[in-house]
């Protein structure tokens, strides 16, 4: 990639930007902190975002740095984004939210429809599924007690639904925790605050307030969200379409070879039709 920049927006939201073309703002998934990612985490993010940067100037904007646990709501997170985006851009722009970022993107589109031109919700739905809710709670609980390796390993059920796969993933994540920015000196406050906000999030009764044309993309084998949740979310949003990637799990949704093509076609107005 070329022309990569790292900056901080109004209100303390960090971002990474790269690519060429009109702006595309990305709300990322759950991360250990709200600072710009480094190492393996950065490589993963750049890997799935780079194909989009062929058509857009991608702005991967994370949550505000320094969130306080027990005080932050999803509306607060959306408001932080609104302040920063209003200051940075002119008018409505396309928004792509993945996973936890997709939850925030729904709240953002409900609260500030004037800032959203088109909306892509990837690997996310109007509320967490039970597997993701339980895993994220344990992730936050272990982090709060300083058990950083157990904290990351607690997310294994969001990787695969297989019992054997979860054991293998949990062991690998236990070992890899320091490489993901989680170690003895890790401050998990940002992550805990975000988990608490998403835990209380349920947009099912307000989906009809989303006015932007919307594309929902889900993986058939996503342990975090069922096909039924993806469908419920799509039905609730006026002018929304749903793509299901067969055989794909949670992270596999955005790394699928079809993802950048489908998102780009939708955002430039040439996307194929799909069942509601």
């Amino acid at each position: 990639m070329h022309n990569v920049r790292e900056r901080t927006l109004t209100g303390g939201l960090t971002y990474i930007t790269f690519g060429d073309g009109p702006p595309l703002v990305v709300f990322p998934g759950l991360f250990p902190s709200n600072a710009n990612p480094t190492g393996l985490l950065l490589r993963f993010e750049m890997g799935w975002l780079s194909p989009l940067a062929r058509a857009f100037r991608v702005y991967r904007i994370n949550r505000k740095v320094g969130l306080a646990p027990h005080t932050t709501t999803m509306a607060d997170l959306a408001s932080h984004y609104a302040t920063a985006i209003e200051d940075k851009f002119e008018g409505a722009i396309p928004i792509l939210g993945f996973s936890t970022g997709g939850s925030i993107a729904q709240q953002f589109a409900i609260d500030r429809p004037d800032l959203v031109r088109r909306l892509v919700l990837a690997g996310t739905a109007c509320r967490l599924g039970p597997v993701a809710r339980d895993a994220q709670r344990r992730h936050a609980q272990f982090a709060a007690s300083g058990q950083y390796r157990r904290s990351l390993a607690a997310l294994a059920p969001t990787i695969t639904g297989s019992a054997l796969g979860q054991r293998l993933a949990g062991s690998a994540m236990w070992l890899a925790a320091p490489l993901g920015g989680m170690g003895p000196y890790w401050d998990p406050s940002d992550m805990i605050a975000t988990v608490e906000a998403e835990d209380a999030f349920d947009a099912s009764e307000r989906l009809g307030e989303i006015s932007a044309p919307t594309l929902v993309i889900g993986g058939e084998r996503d342990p975090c969200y069922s096909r039924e949740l993806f469908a419920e979310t799509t039905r609730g949003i006026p002018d929304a379409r749903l793509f299901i990637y067969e055989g794909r799990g949670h992270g596999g949704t955005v790394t699928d070879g079809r993802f950048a093509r489908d998102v780009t076609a939708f955002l430039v107005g040439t996307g194929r039709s799909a069942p509601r």
Side-chain angles (χ1 to χ4, degrees):
M1 295 304 302
H2 64 283
N3 198 21
V4 178
R5 291 182 295 170
E6 297 187 38
R7 297 288 190 274
T8 300
L9 292 171
T10 301
L13 282 72
T14 64
Y15 75 93
I16 297 172
T17 181
F18 54 95
D20 297 298
L24 168 61
V25 168
V26 175
F27 294 2
L30 188 66
F31 269 70
S33 77
N34 290 350
N36 284 329
T38 60
L40 292 177
L41 295 178
L42 178 59
R43 289 182 63 182
F44 173 77
E45 291 292 279
M46 295 292 282
W48 73 269
L49 291 173
S50 292
L52 292 169
R54 298 171 187 150
F56 303 98
R57 181 72 184 181
V58 174
Y59 291 82
R60 180 207 178 273
I61 305 177
N62 211 340
R63 270 76 70 185
K64 180 180 180 180
V65 174
L67 295 177
H70 319 308
T71 63
T72 303
T73 66
M74 195 62 72
D76 292 331
L77 298 178
S79 177
H80 299 161
Y81 271 112
T83 298
I85 286 172
E86 278 189 304
D87 189 58
K88 178 67 177 178
F89 304 98
E90 294 184 5
I93 53 175
I95 303 290
L96 188 163
F98 170 56
S99 191
T100 297
S103 297
I104 301 171
Q106 292 171 68
Q107 186 73 53
F108 182 84
I110 290 168
D111 293 345
R112 294 301 307 268
D114 56 309
L115 297 180
V116 186
R117 188 171 65 82
R118 288 198 170 210
L119 179 66
V120 178
L121 302 174
T124 193
C126 58
R127 62 183 175 276
L128 284 171
V131 171
R133 188 180 304 279
D134 179 65
Q136 288 191 180
R137 283 175 178 171
R138 289 187 291 112
H139 178 48
Q141 289 166 358
F142 285 132
S145 63
Q147 300 178 73
Y148 62 93
R149 289 189 187 273
R150 292 187 71 184
S151 177
L152 186 59
L155 294 177
T158 69
I159 305 299
T160 174
S162 159
L164 175 59
Q166 288 178 23
R167 287 196 295 271
L168 294 173
S171 297
M173 295 164 83
W174 175 286
L175 294 171
L179 300 177
M182 301 170 67
Y185 303 105
W186 168 46
D187 180 356
S189 298
D190 288 341
M191 180 275 291
I192 293 172
T194 303
V195 166
E196 291 173 343
E198 188 171 30
D199 189 68
F201 174 73
D202 186 343
S204 57
E205 298 298 321
R206 299 191 64 189
L207 292 172
E209 299 176 45
I210 297 178
S211 57
T214 301
L215 174 63
V216 180
I217 302 179
E220 177 223 357
R221 297 183 180 177
D222 190 334
C224 302
Y225 303 95
S226 65
R227 184 190 286 263
E228 291 74 21
L229 265 178
F230 291 131
E232 177 186 346
T233 304
T234 307
R235 287 193 302 269
I237 302 174
D239 197 22
R241 290 177 278 173
L242 172 64
F243 293 171
I244 294 291
Y245 292 163
E246 301 296 328
R248 292 298 185 182
H250 191 60
T253 300
V254 294
T255 59
D256 188 281
R258 295 165 289 184
F259 181 75
R261 179 194 66 206
D262 287 341
V263 170
T264 300
F266 171 73
L267 292 180
V268 299
T270 61
R272 58 188 170 89
S273 62
R276 292 283 305 267

